[in-house]
Amino acid sequence: MPDSEREKLERDELIEALSDRLDGMGEEDFDLSALDEYFSALDDEAPLASEFDAVSGEKAFREKYKELFEGDRAAGPALQVLPAKRRPRGWRLAGRIAAVAAAACLCLALVCQGMGIDMLGFLAHWGRGEFTFETSDQPRPDNLRYGPFDTLAEALSANGTTVPMDPTWVPEPGGYFGALKTEVTVSREAQSDLFTADCRDEEGRGYTVEVRRYDSIPATRVDGLGDPEAIQYVVDGRSYFILQLKDELSVRWIHGSMEGSIIGDLDVETAQALVRSITEGSGGGYHAPDPDRTPPMGNDLRSLLEVMDLDPNLAPTWLPEGFTKSELNSGNGWQNVEMIHAVYDDAAHEKRFSVHLEWWEDPAEPVAPVFAREGGGAEEYEHNGVTFRILDDGDGLIVTWTAGRVSGYISGDLTEEEARHIIDSIPQWSPDRPQSEKPGYRPSDIVENHYDSMSDALAAYDLPASLAPDFIPGRFVLEEVTATEMSAWTDITAAYFEGEELFRISVKVFADEETAGSGTTIIIKDDEPVEEYQHNGVTFYIMTNNDRRSVAWKSGVMEGMISGPITTEEAKQIIDSMG
């Protein structure tokens, strides 16, 4: 645009012209310097405040959104979880759904009040399998290599990941699918690098392997942990959780700062074969830990247990000479099941073993893991009134035990004498969780209030009644409405069912603008494009995940989600019925 034309434009016209200029730029030809002339013109037309005034900005923000604040509450830790796949059993239903949803998304909004800009906004982007809300584009590390790559192993190796995370075995044609072709992609996502291998035949059948490498060690929800319908399959001291979804099989696991998943047209036997090939097919033998990704989480297993308000006496206090910690994970799953997993390496002698602990808030009997190479002739060994089973897996030893709310295993390159010494070093632990309260997330931090309708719940928190849609497809029956209060937000969720099919509507309200601007919302979707649908000045993002639809929206310090087995037309009807 010539300077003479630009100088004639008013402020709103300049903004529109800038928007058109941005829309005309792609990722490859984006040039910030080309926009300087627009910014200069805008500054001449409507200059920003000359000083950054955080105090007055916060005051203005709180005054504008005062009805959403009940007082200052410290933000809790960011947790990333995967959405529940089907109806839970044995829970206060909607409350647990809301608690999972609240922990599932690390959400944000961009607040510019402190600079004199009256704006609370966000960006949204999506790709294959994922939809993301965020305030700014994630910077791509200069050293991240995007390919092309023929295999997932090549992509991981080129980007500095040396530990085995990808299956090396490829199923032969027949059975569920034909000859598979693999497409590998590398992308920069929210606070992580995502490595994907899509293995499909000509008919589109197959499976997808994803490895997500986080910038730091995340607190992780493990999909399948504690689920009575899931199989915990242990290979080389690593737990894989195999879960049958409606039409697909899912496998999830974590390793240090990485998460892995396999999902697709698989049976349990094929999934287990893929899982075994991750370590067995990576050259066999010992694999040294990645020195650049040693977790900075606690000094040892006992200190992590203390952080999680669990008895540190659950952990052994003796290690064989030469072994040091190389991996330390924590996670949570269904029914308030918490998991702690530690790996110890003796690199000089190429040995490794793992210690896996689970704490079940529900005193029901824990689900026992399945070991890939469990040998016969288990020996029982008594210690502090607990029976430990010692088994030979061919390459080393496996020790398993269950007592009350606790289950665990030790697996790896140990002699029987070393295994007994480790068992003997486990102190007498308390059957109950310690009473002392420590900082951080705990299930006890959650407060649940139950209501007869979503409108009642919204009214109780002085939120607009228009957030509750008037239209709900008639086949769904309301089961429960719960307001779940956490330290950083309140989540109001209405759970409906058609038989076993869950349909839910939720609204999340953040405690303050700092919390609202401190993370990213990630929603799992399929390959279909996202549709943007406008209603009352708010953009609703409609996306599909096989036969389900998800609708996501953000406005101010509020965020909403509609999810279930509905059509796109029904989704729009629901949106339009919101005042």
Side-chain angles (χ1 to χ4, degrees):
M1 177 183 296
D3 292 345
S4 58
E5 292 185 24
R6 190 167 51 253
E7 290 172 358
K8 297 177 182 178
L9 298 180
E10 299 293 335
R11 175 180 178 276
D12 290 344
E13 294 172 321
L14 279 168
I15 293 174
E16 185 66 28
L18 173 60
S19 177
D20 292 341
R21 185 73 175 90
L22 283 168
D23 289 342
M25 289 184 177
E27 184 173 343
E28 298 297 326
D29 62 350
F30 182 84
D31 182 9
L32 186 60
S33 63
L35 307 177
D36 286 344
E37 56 194 21
Y38 293 91
F39 293 136
S40 297
L42 278 169
D43 193 50
D44 293 338
E45 180 70 21
L48 295 176
S50 59
E51 295 181 356
F52 180 93
D53 188 349
V55 174
S56 62
E58 180 182 6
K59 183 178 179 181
F61 181 91
R62 289 184 175 276
E63 179 63 25
K64 183 172 182 179
Y65 297 101
K66 61 184 178 182
E67 69 275 11
L68 299 179
F69 294 89
E70 300 175 4
D72 291 330
R73 290 178 286 180
L79 301 177
Q80 180 171 339
V81 303
L82 296 171
K85 298 298 190 301
R86 61 184 176 286
R87 183 176 185 173
R89 295 171 174 81
W91 290 14
R92 286 288 295 177
L93 186 65
R96 295 300 188 268
I97 294 170
V100 169
C105 301
L106 311 179
C107 309
L108 76 162
L110 177 63
V111 183
C112 298
Q113 294 289 118
M115 297 188 68
I117 307 172
D118 185 19
M119 181 175 73
L120 186 63
F122 60 89
L123 301 176
H125 68 78
W126 51 88
R128 193 208 61 76
E130 195 171 90
F131 173 91
T132 305
F133 276 139
E134 60 185 347
T135 52
S136 62
D137 291 332
Q138 291 292 327
R140 291 185 171 184
D142 294 336
N143 60 348
L144 189 60
R145 300 183 179 181
Y146 297 91
F149 299 109
D150 293 329
T151 66
L152 190 57
E154 289 180 7
L156 290 167
S157 177
N159 284 282
T161 292
T162 58
V163 296
M165 288 292 289
D166 59 300
T168 58
W169 174 72
V170 178
E172 295 292 332
Y176 285 96
F177 30 72
L180 297 174
K181 293 184 178 180
T182 301
E183 179 182 350
V184 178
T185 58
V186 179
S187 61
R188 177 65 181 170
E189 304 293 342
Q191 292 87 44
S192 63
D193 303 323
L194 180 62
F195 305 87
T196 303
D198 204 29
C199 308
R200 302 284 162 181
D201 63 13
E202 292 183 350
E203 301 297 324
R205 296 184 299 267
Y207 57 90
T208 300
V209 183
E210 289 189 347
V211 176
R212 186 179 294 276
R213 184 177 66 184
Y214 288 93
D215 297 337
S216 60
I217 304 297
T220 309
R221 177 177 169 83
V222 184
D223 202 28
L225 171 63
D227 189 332
E229 297 182 20
I231 299 171
Q232 181 178 175
Y233 190 59
V234 181
V235 183
D236 291 332
R238 188 188 293 177
S239 287
Y240 300 82
F241 295 89
I242 302 174
L243 184 62
Q244 179 67 57
L245 308 181
K246 183 176 180 181
D247 299 315
E248 296 179 307
L249 198 73
S250 167
V251 184
R252 308 276 182 181
W253 69 97
I254 59 176
H255 179 88
S257 60
M258 292 180 287
E259 290 180 350
S261 70
I262 306 171
I263 185 168
D265 306 309
L266 304 168
D267 57 15
V268 172
E269 183 179 354
T270 304
Q272 290 177 335
L274 286 168
V275 162
R276 289 194 300 272
S277 75
I278 292 175
T279 49
E280 292 178 356
S282 300
Y286 176 81
H287 297 276
D290 188 339
D292 296 329
R293 307 198 70 82
T294 300
M297 185 187 292
N299 296 319
D300 54 27
L301 185 56
R302 292 174 62 83
S303 62
L304 176 57
L305 287 164
E306 288 190 36
V307 169
M308 298 177 68
D309 274 357
L310 293 173
D311 191 344
N313 288 334
L314 293 170
T317 58
W318 179 83
L319 296 177
E321 184 177 355
F323 283 91
T324 59
K325 180 197 70 180
S326 62
E327 179 187 338
L328 192 57
N329 296 325
S330 67
N332 57 70
W334 273 44
Q335 314 258 22
N336 287 333
V337 178
E338 296 175 73
M339 179 195 78
I340 307 95
H341 189 92
V343 178
Y344 300 90
D345 274 86
D346 178 1
H349 298 92
E350 296 190 346
K351 292 182 179 181
R352 166 179 296 169
F353 76 93
S354 60
V355 178
H356 181 96
L357 301 170
E358 293 176 11
W359 175 275
W360 295 61
E361 289 288 344
D362 187 338
E365 183 176 354
V367 178
V370 175
F371 292 88
R373 293 184 299 276
E374 181 175 320
E379 177 185 349
E380 293 188 352
Y381 184 70
E382 296 288 330
H383 172 66
N384 284 341
V386 177
T387 300
F388 295 79
R389 299 175 67 245
I390 304 176
L391 309 96
D392 187 344
D393 72 351
D395 296 322
L397 290 180
I398 297 171
V399 179
T400 68
W401 67 97
T402 300
R405 300 173 186 268
V406 178
S407 69
Y409 69 78
I410 300 170
S411 174
D413 302 315
L414 297 169
T415 66
E416 186 172 340
E417 181 182 359
E418 289 172 332
R420 290 172 181 266
H421 199 160
I422 293 174
I423 294 170
D424 288 338
S425 76
I426 301 175
Q428 182 77 53
W429 68 77
S430 170
D432 299 311
R433 185 188 287 272
Q435 296 300 310
S436 61
E437 291 293 335
K438 300 189 186 300
Y441 170 79
R442 278 282 312 281
S444 59
D445 293 336
I446 300 175
V447 177
E448 295 177 1
N449 297 307
H450 300 273
Y451 299 91
D452 294 330
S453 68
M454 193 165 190
S455 297
D456 290 346
L458 293 168
Y461 288 86
D462 294 326
L463 294 171
S466 59
L467 294 174
D470 293 329
F471 171 76
I472 300 295
R475 63 186 180 277
F476 294 106
V477 177
L478 178 65
E479 179 149 334
E480 193 170 22
V481 177
T482 301
T484 305
E485 297 182 15
M486 300 185 72
S487 60
W489 57 72
T490 295
D491 188 297
I492 298 174
T493 295
Y496 299 79
F497 280 93
E498 178 192 14
E500 289 289 310
E501 292 290 343
L502 168 66
F503 167 70
R504 71 180 179 92
I505 300 174
S506 65
V507 175
K508 182 187 293 184
V509 183
F510 293 95
D512 54 50
E513 66 272 28
E514 181 179 358
T515 307
S518 61
T520 301
T521 298
I522 301 174
I523 302 165
I524 303 302
K525 59 177 286 294
D526 59 20
D527 296 344
E528 296 300 315
V530 175
E531 179 178 352
E532 298 183 33
Y533 188 71
Q534 298 290 326
H535 175 67
N536 285 345
V538 176
T539 301
F540 291 78
Y541 298 89
I542 304 174
M543 63 208 82
T544 63
N545 190 5
N546 297 320
D547 60 347
R548 301 179 69 84
R549 299 290 182 278
S550 293
V551 179
W553 60 269
K554 242 184 194 316
S555 179
V557 292
M558 293 183 292
E559 174 182 297
M561 174 72 71
I562 302 167
S563 178
I566 58 175
T567 65
T568 300
E569 290 71 25
E570 287 174 328
K572 293 178 179 179
Q573 282 183 274
I574 294 169
I575 295 168
D576 290 338
S577 73
M578 298 170 67

